[in-house]
Amino acid sequence: MSFDGKRLVIVGGGSGIARRIAVDARAAGAEVVFAGRNPECFTEPGIVTEYADLGDESSLKALAETVGELDFLITLAAAPANGPIATLDRDAVTRAFDAKVIGPITLAKHFAPRFRAGGAIVLFSGVAAWRPMPERAVMATTNGAVAFLAEALAVELAPVRVNAVSPGIVDSGAWDRLGDAKDDFLRRTAEANPARRVGGTADISTATLSLLANPFITGTTLHVDGGGRLS
């Protein structure tokens, strides 16, 4: 894939997935802008960084004005609000919807008029929507909403294309918090997945960039989960 002359904006994503997409897109010729609440942490050479908070519309409006015209937009942010329903904090639930649903809607609001011909958006869903578990009701709901949002925006923003990627369990750095238990968790996940492996950041990056590059895919959720939703 060649992205020569294309401007790509990536919003959010605290794991290695956003970084890998940015680096791969840059290597393919794109001008990449990464925006998040802590842009100073994103230090990849040749990539412009800006501030953005998906829970703050004024920051998203300012980002759109700073970026100007663009070709592609990806939003990866997540703010999980996990736990038993009986103990969920309403503010945490709101932050989860800001990151996955309300924020991306607001991004579309401010960026839609700025897309060049052939423009495309990729939203990030997740396997939890198709494999709900106890204490993951908010995660399942927000990720499921993303899949429907991609369809709705694909119709409303046409001819700008809108798709979603739904990753499964990916060794992106996000699971490092498990410490010594990480390797066993990934091993058990790989054994259960039909693909008999967990994902890597390259798997998600390749799928995401392919959705941006293919002009005949819109309103689709691409499952990049090793079959995890079926296991």
Side-chain angles (χ1 to χ4, degrees):
M1 292 178 284
S2 173
F3 291 94
D4 288 344
K6 304 297 185 182
R7 180 175 294 159
L8 165 64
V9 178
I10 300 173
V11 179
S15 70
I17 293 175
R19 192 176 303 274
R20 181 59 187 259
I21 293 171
V23 170
D24 288 351
R26 177 68 178 159
E31 173 191 350
V32 180
V33 178
F34 173 82
R37 288 186 297 175
N38 299 293
E40 67 279 359
C41 296
F42 202 94
T43 57
E44 296 296 335
I47 295 174
V48 176
T49 58
E50 300 286 350
Y51 174 80
D53 181 349
L54 286 166
D56 175 12
E57 181 170 2
S58 64
S59 76
L60 304 183
K61 179 181 179 182
L63 175 64
E65 291 171 349
T66 298
V67 168
E69 290 188 343
L70 76 159
D71 300 282
F72 305 127
L73 173 66
I74 303 170
T75 173
L76 302 95
N82 297 329
I85 288 291
T87 63
L88 284 178
D89 177 75
R90 191 183 193 283
D91 289 341
V93 174
T94 300
R95 287 192 295 272
F97 275 87
D98 276 340
K100 281 283 189 175
V101 183
I102 302 172
I105 290 172
T106 309
L107 279 172
K109 170 184 174 180
H110 292 289
F111 275 93
R114 302 176 184 275
F115 280 95
R116 298 166 178 157
I121 299 171
V122 173
L123 312 175
F124 262 67
S125 178
V127 69
W130 288 268
R131 289 209 65 192
M133 299 174 61
E135 302 188 9
R136 297 293 186 271
V138 177
M139 180 180 287
T141 303
T142 54
N143 283 311
V146 171
F148 288 105
L149 179 58
E151 295 181 1
L153 290 180
V155 173
E156 181 161 350
L157 302 185
V160 174
R161 294 179 296 105
V162 185
N163 293 292
V165 170
S166 177
I169 302 301
V170 178
D171 188 6
S172 62
W175 299 105
D176 292 353
R177 67 181 185 274
L178 296 178
D180 294 340
K182 172 187 169 180
D183 289 344
D184 185 59
F185 167 71
L186 295 181
R187 177 187 58 76
R188 287 185 286 105
T189 300
E191 290 174 352
N193 278 351
R196 298 296 187 264
R197 60 185 288 261
V198 296
T201 56
D203 299 315
I204 310 304
S205 177
T206 299
T208 303
L209 296 181
S210 70
L211 286 177
L212 295 179
N214 192 315
F216 204 52
I217 301 178
T218 193
T220 294
T221 295
L222 179 59
H223 296 275
V224 192
D225 59 9
R229 70 193 183 284
L230 309 174
S231 62

